[in-house]
Amino acid sequence: MERMVAYCGLVCTDCKAYIATQENDDAKRREVAEAWSKGLTTPLKPEEINCDGCLSDRRLFSYCNTCEIRKCGIERRVANCAHCPDYNCEKLAKFVEQAPEAKKTLEEIRQKLHK
């Protein structure tokens, strides 16, 4: 499977929701729904765990449909934020504080772009 990096730098192909969807595995969907529901006021249902990745225009996890970073990346027509001339804008900076692995991925991509 080819690696898919979301606009924000998360690796979609490593995401448990993406994997459950691609494998069409309802047991994995249940596991993801249970794990991701912890701390939410409205628990997720297994049937809500369907995603073909951030770069897809098909099935997306519900949050991805409202993600400001994704929306911006689409509008700017960049492969992901590492390719953006305004890299590490305020939206992205706030996000990567919570997801340092995403920042690491984007930094690695930027290094390859600027060689």
Side-chain angles (χ1 to χ4, degrees):
M1 178 184 330
E2 188 175 326
R3 184 176 186 229
M4 182 189 302
V5 177
Y7 294 99
C8 65
L10 291 177
V11 180
C12 295
T13 45
D14 291 346
C15 175
K16 292 180 184 212
Y18 178 89
I19 293 166
T21 303
Q22 301 314 301
E23 294 178 3
N24 196 23
D25 188 322
D26 289 337
K28 287 183 180 179
R29 285 185 178 99
R30 275 192 299 280
E31 289 173 22
V32 173
E34 285 177 25
W36 289 8
S37 290
K38 292 180 180 157
L40 296 177
T41 54
T42 306
L44 294 169
K45 297 174 184 158
E47 55 269 19
E48 294 175 290
I49 308 300
N50 283 297
C51 190
D52 290 316
C54 180
L55 307 182
S56 170
D57 59 357
R58 293 177 50 216
R59 296 175 291 186
L60 293 172
F61 182 66
S62 58
Y63 172 77
C64 300
N65 283 311
T66 61
C67 175
E68 289 298 315
I69 295 170
R70 180 177 184 271
K71 185 176 174 183
C72 181
I74 291 169
E75 287 171 0
R76 289 176 174 251
R77 295 186 172 136
V78 294
N80 55 54
C81 291
H83 296 261
C84 183
D86 295 326
Y87 174 71
N88 212 15
C89 67
E90 189 176 325
K91 281 182 246 181
L92 182 63
K94 282 184 189 178
F95 174 77
V96 296
E97 283 178 16
Q98 305 301 313
E101 70 279 9
K103 183 174 183 168
K104 182 177 183 251
T105 299
L106 292 173
E107 290 292 332
E108 289 169 358
I109 293 168
R110 283 186 67 81
Q111 284 177 356
K112 291 176 186 172
L113 290 174
H114 298 288
K115 280 190 175 183

